[in-house]
């Protein structure tokens, strides 16, 4: 028998931890569904928990959302939910801000250290049983430009500063003195020309889509390395491939790409100056449990009539900082 508000949980082959969901189950009727059944599950539901945050099923099922009041995304990026009908509605959108910040920052530092110390080159020589003395680079004193000034960008900035790097940022609004970024500028191409490492962590919006194009890569230093932990669609992929092939930039570490998953015959796989990971920079051991906890805590707020945490500005496409 149904009790309390109906909460739809959209999942893939991985289902939220039942013990963690008990906090919600005692006060609501839970409907678990995968993407093909979403339209059938939505009628009468007031809450949608998008546990499968990589899904693109919501726009096609939106016609069935007759009582929906709140959508919670189990991720920081909310671009799958930023379609016109949802934006124009009164439905509140929240995200899982904060869970992935430290893990992604560690990933970025790891990739930067990997480039500076040429760890992949060392592994290749080891596999060849070849002892070859080489020099490496210092990261201390190098300049990192962080494109995106949200909570993940701030964690990245703090960690890179702790490693001795000089940090700057590009955001929507300029700021002369920021505790984490130092200076926040708005002119992307001018800042790209100053950076040794460029870290993309901006949310995907109409304004940021394809921001890293041929002109952006041409503005970078030839020795600069590009790290993308934001969204693959921030980048014009063909332009990135061309920049890497011609030496316009030195290398790239890509946790996100366009398209995803990257086809087996894509040229990015074959480029020796590219490091690719399968969109898992934030996926530390235990992350699935934590995103359920964030939803359950926000559900406590919703049931009690308190303001929800991490409310997305649907006009901007992210949680304002």
């Amino acid at each position: 028998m149904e009790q309390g508000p109906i909460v739809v949980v959209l999942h893939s082959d991985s289902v939220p931890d039942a013990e963690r969901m008990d906090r919600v189950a005692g006060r609501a009727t839970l409907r678990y569904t995968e993407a093909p059944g979403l339209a059938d599950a939505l009628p009468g539901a007031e809450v949608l928990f998008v546990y499968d945050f990589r899904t693109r099923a919501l726009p096609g099922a939106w016609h069935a959302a007759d009582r929906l009041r709140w959508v919670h995304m189990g991720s920081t990026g909310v671009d799958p939910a930023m379609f016109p009908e949802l934006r124009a509605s009164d439905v509140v959108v929240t995200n899982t801000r904060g869970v992935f910040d430290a893990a992604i920052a560690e990933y970025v530092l790891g990739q930067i250290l990997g480039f500076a110390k040429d760890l992949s080159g060392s592994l290749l020589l080891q596999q060849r049983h070849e002892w070859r003395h080489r020099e490496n680079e210092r990261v201390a004193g190098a300049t990192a430009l962080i494109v995106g000034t949200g909570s993940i960008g701030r964690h990245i900035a703090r960690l890179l500063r702790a490693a001795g790097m000089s940090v700057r940022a590009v955001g929507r609004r300029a700021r002369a003195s920021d505790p984490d970024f130092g200076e926040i500028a708005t002119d992307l191409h001018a800042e790209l020309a100053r950076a040794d490492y460029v870290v993309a962590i901006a949310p995907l919006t109409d304004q940021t889509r394809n921001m890293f194009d041929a002109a952006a890569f041409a503005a970078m230093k030839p020795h600069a390395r590009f790290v993308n932990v934001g969204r693959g669609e921030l980048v014009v992929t063909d332009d990135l491939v061309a920049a890497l092939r011609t030496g316009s930039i030195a290398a790239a570490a890509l946790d996100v790409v366009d398209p995803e998953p990257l086809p087996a015959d894509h040229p990015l796989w074959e480029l020796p100056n590219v490091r690719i990971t399968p969109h898992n920079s934030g996926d530390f051991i235990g992350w699935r449990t934590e995103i359920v906890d964030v939803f359950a805590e926000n559900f406590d707020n919703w049931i009690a009539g308190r303001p929800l945490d991490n409310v997305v500005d649907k006009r901007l496409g992210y949680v304002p900082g």
Side-chain angles (χ1 to χ4, degrees):
M1 188 176 73
E2 293 186 347
Q3 62 174 1
I6 297 171
V7 176
V8 172
V9 182
L10 176 58
H11 62 91
S12 58
D13 54 345
S14 174
V15 181
D17 180 84
E19 183 177 346
R20 286 301 204 275
M21 287 297 293
D22 279 349
R23 288 177 58 181
V24 177
R27 295 169 292 171
T29 297
L30 299 182
R31 292 180 183 170
Y32 288 87
T33 183
E34 296 186 47
L38 180 59
D40 292 332
L42 280 175
E46 296 181 59
V47 181
L48 172 61
F49 174 23
V50 184
Y51 181 73
D52 177 19
F53 53 79
R54 292 189 176 96
T55 184
R56 293 295 187 266
L58 190 50
W62 185 250
H63 65 277
D66 55 354
R67 294 189 62 192
L68 202 61
R69 296 168 54 196
W70 169 33
V71 173
H72 179 81
M73 299 294 294
S75 60
T76 304
V78 296
D79 43 283
M82 291 296 103
F83 54 95
E85 293 83 359
L86 192 154
R87 275 182 156 155
S89 74
D90 294 330
V91 175
V92 176
V93 178
T94 59
N95 75 352
T96 312
R97 186 183 192 191
V99 168
F100 305 102
D101 295 7
I104 294 176
E106 291 167 358
Y107 172 94
V108 170
L109 177 58
Q111 289 288 7
I112 289 174
L113 288 170
F115 283 132
K117 307 307 176 184
D118 191 21
L119 299 182
S120 60
S122 296
L123 179 59
L124 181 61
L125 291 173
Q126 177 184 336
Q127 292 169 340
R128 294 175 179 173
H129 298 190
E130 185 176 345
W131 183 282
R132 186 195 304 174
H133 182 271
R134 297 168 301 140
E135 296 180 344
N136 59 67
E137 302 171 21
R138 296 288 309 277
V139 297
T143 297
L145 176 66
I146 300 174
V147 182
T149 56
S151 62
I152 299 176
R154 289 192 175 277
H155 271 75
I156 294 170
R158 293 167 193 156
L159 202 54
L160 299 189
R161 284 186 180 278
M165 300 185 74
S166 174
V167 175
R168 298 174 63 84
V170 168
R172 290 179 62 248
R173 293 184 298 274
R175 188 177 306 162
S177 181
D178 182 272
D180 297 315
F181 299 115
E183 181 175 352
I184 300 176
T186 57
D187 188 335
L188 174 64
H189 288 196
E191 293 301 316
L192 290 173
R194 305 175 60 172
D196 303 304
Y197 295 91
V198 176
V199 180
I201 187 56
L204 180 62
T205 67
D206 292 341
Q207 290 70 42
T208 62
R209 187 181 299 273
N210 295 332
M211 68 191 304
F212 290 99
D213 56 9
F217 293 121
M220 292 170 61
K221 297 177 180 180
H223 71 259
R225 280 78 168 227
F226 176 66
V227 182
N228 190 4
V229 286
R231 282 289 187 266
E233 295 90 339
L234 299 176
V235 178
V236 180
T237 304
D238 289 346
D239 292 353
L240 173 60
V241 170
L244 290 162
R245 281 176 168 166
T246 62
S248 178
I249 64 173
L254 308 172
D255 187 54
V256 290
V257 290
D258 181 25
E260 285 187 17
L262 193 65
D265 61 350
H266 198 281
L268 279 172
W269 289 114
E270 302 299 326
L271 293 175
N273 50 352
V274 175
R275 310 289 177 262
I276 296 172
T277 53
H279 203 151
N280 66 344
S281 62
D283 295 352
F284 59 94
I285 296 170
W287 68 272
R288 288 181 176 85
T289 297
E290 290 204 18
I291 66 173
V292 174
D293 286 345
V294 170
F295 170 68
E297 289 167 9
N298 230 2
F299 185 78
D300 291 344
N301 292 331
W302 191 75
I303 286 292
R306 296 188 296 265
L308 293 172
D309 295 328
N310 299 335
V311 174
V312 173
D313 184 324
K314 292 189 289 184
R315 178 181 58 87
L316 297 175
Y318 53 86
V319 178

